[in-house]
Amino acid sequence: GDVAYVTGGKMDAKAAEHDIKDHQLHVEKLKLTDDQEKVREKLKEDLKKEKLWDEDFCTDEELARFCKARNFEYKKVLQMTSDAIKWRRDAKPHHLRPTLPRVVSEGQTGKTYVAGKDKYGRPVVVMDSSCENSKDHQSKIDFLLFNLEHAKRLMEGSVDKWVLWIYLDNFSFFSAPPMKTSMETNRCLMLRYPERMGHCILYQPPTLFNVCWKMASPLIDPRTKQKIHFMSGKFDKDSPNAQKLNGILGEGWRDLVGIDTPHSATKARGYDQTKYWSSLEEFYKSNPKEEAKRDTPTKLKTGPNTMAPPPPPGA
């Protein structure tokens, strides 16, 4: 239900008004109707027939996400799910571990990391391309996948969505990833991890981003649009932006994303590699089943270097 925050002994209604109301859209595992269940059951049967069944991956919740992403239109659902399973067999993103040298190397600056969980229990993935430290396309994609898979593992209970917090105040085309890497990032988030994004916060985006968003907006699924927030201006404690984020993430959001900590090209805000890596290593040691999977992923197949299409439904 609604939560009222107390600040200095007074109820803060402004924060409460931004609380998430639609938990199915932003936080929780999907609940299906009887007709939707039938689509998922047919999908299970056909994946088994086509020898694409993956016991670990094809959970009811995972298949529900793919169904929802294609609005339960069966042919599209089967195509999207089949493509994702074939991709996982080749890429093995679930086998990436913090012990792999390229993962360690990519993690030096904190350009992508899982900062912790918000007040709803959603993992928050922080990204900052101004801290780019690599030119290797494959290693960059592997590092993104490592963090997304880690965020998935941290989800508990009814939570099955993450938050993307993207720092853009130091964005530069000189440090931004090349189109090939941006395209593959887009494909991963939209096509291989559908219905996983609860919110995407774009912090201080350049004007160009806002212009492009307005142009693409009519083509973007309304559900996806509700999850994306372009946030510019002031973020001090009593600002409208801060109040909004209190509702979306919780009052601890400043510490969570490190907004008040120093930024440099070699160290993202809120990032401490020693601390982060020791927590990662501890997590995998305390989960022996996860630790056992140390296969080296094969080279990912990437698509042509073309302009990214608008995000499909189900981001």
Side-chain angles (χ1 to χ4, degrees):
D2 290 351
V3 177
Y5 296 90
V6 179
T7 311
K10 293 179 183 176
M11 286 297 213
D12 192 343
K14 283 184 184 174
E17 79 184 36
H18 293 296
D19 265 23
I20 291 173
K21 307 296 190 293
D22 188 346
H23 282 240
Q24 278 280 287
L25 180 66
H26 297 291
V27 182
E28 295 175 349
K29 293 172 182 171
L30 295 160
K31 296 184 178 99
L32 304 189
T33 65
D34 290 346
D35 284 344
Q36 291 171 344
E37 286 269 14
K38 285 173 189 169
V39 175
R40 181 169 64 186
E41 288 308 308
K42 181 166 171 48
L43 178 61
K44 285 184 189 178
E45 288 167 23
D46 285 349
L47 289 174
K48 286 172 183 173
K49 272 186 210 164
E50 294 182 27
K51 297 189 167 43
L52 287 170
W53 186 257
D54 178 327
E55 203 65 47
D56 292 329
F57 180 68
C58 296
T59 61
D60 280 355
E61 292 88 356
E62 193 70 67
L63 298 182
R65 282 190 285 274
F66 279 90
C67 289
K68 183 70 175 175
R70 287 294 174 262
N71 293 319
F72 296 88
E73 293 176 36
Y74 188 68
K75 278 190 178 176
K76 292 180 181 177
V77 168
L78 179 60
Q79 184 68 55
M80 185 188 197
T81 314
S82 301
D83 289 349
I85 291 170
K86 288 171 188 171
W87 171 80
R88 284 184 78 83
R89 282 182 178 177
D90 181 43
K92 299 183 178 67
H94 47 301
H95 289 183
L96 290 161
R97 291 294 176 270
T99 45
L100 286 168
R102 70 180 176 285
V103 173
V104 176
S105 174
E106 292 286 321
Q108 298 287 327
T109 63
K111 61 187 175 186
T112 304
Y113 68 99
V114 185
K117 295 180 183 179
D118 71 0
K119 71 171 179 175
Y120 302 99
R122 299 176 300 175
V124 177
V125 182
V126 174
M127 298 177 168
D128 188 341
S129 68
S130 71
C131 298
E132 184 54 74
N133 65 329
S134 163
K135 290 195 163 114
D136 186 79
H137 167 76
Q138 192 54 50
S139 295
K140 285 197 255 204
I141 293 299
D142 279 353
F143 187 61
L144 167 73
L145 295 171
F146 165 72
N147 280 288
L148 295 182
E149 289 287 328
H150 185 59
K152 262 173 63 175
R153 291 185 180 100
L154 295 176
M155 294 174 187
E156 296 176 291
S158 64
V159 173
D160 85 336
K161 290 175 175 50
W162 52 51
V163 175
L164 301 179
W165 176 285
I166 304 175
Y167 278 113
L168 291 167
D169 52 330
N170 292 292
F171 177 83
S172 158
F173 284 106
F174 295 106
S175 62
M179 181 60 76
K180 178 183 175 185
T181 306
S182 298
M183 283 287 298
E184 185 63 12
T185 298
N186 189 41
R187 273 190 287 271
C188 289
L189 292 169
M190 301 295 178
L191 303 178
R192 292 146 189 178
Y193 297 87
E195 291 291 327
R196 281 290 191 185
M197 187 174 79
H199 275 100
C200 177
I201 311 294
L202 295 122
Y203 175 81
Q204 307 287 24
T207 308
L208 179 63
F209 279 61
N210 288 294
V211 172
C212 292
W213 174 252
K214 279 174 186 164
M215 287 168 63
S217 200
L219 305 171
I220 296 170
D221 177 67
R223 293 180 78 255
T224 303
K225 264 197 271 199
Q226 289 180 62
K227 300 175 183 182
I228 299 174
H229 294 269
F230 284 69
M231 302 190 75
S232 304
K234 294 184 177 178
F235 284 79
D236 49 273
K237 195 178 174 188
D238 297 319
S239 65
N241 278 336
Q243 297 286 0
K244 186 174 182 178
L245 289 167
N246 285 348
I248 293 174
L249 300 174
E251 289 197 326
W253 70 268
R254 305 188 81 88
D255 291 334
L256 186 61
V257 302
I259 197 170
D260 299 315
T261 59
H263 164 275
S264 75
T266 55
K267 187 174 182 294
R269 274 163 290 205
Y271 187 66
D272 179 331
Q273 198 204 16
T274 307
K275 198 172 165 185
Y276 186 53
W277 234 254
S278 63
S279 74
L280 288 174
E281 286 167 358
E282 184 55 42
F283 175 84
Y284 290 101
K285 276 178 193 166
S286 60
N287 290 274
K289 183 184 164 194
E290 305 292 0
E291 182 62 15
K293 297 176 182 171
R294 287 175 175 268
D295 300 34
T296 303
T298 51
K299 189 169 176 61
L300 298 187
K301 289 175 183 168
T302 56
N305 188 4
T306 53
M307 286 299 289

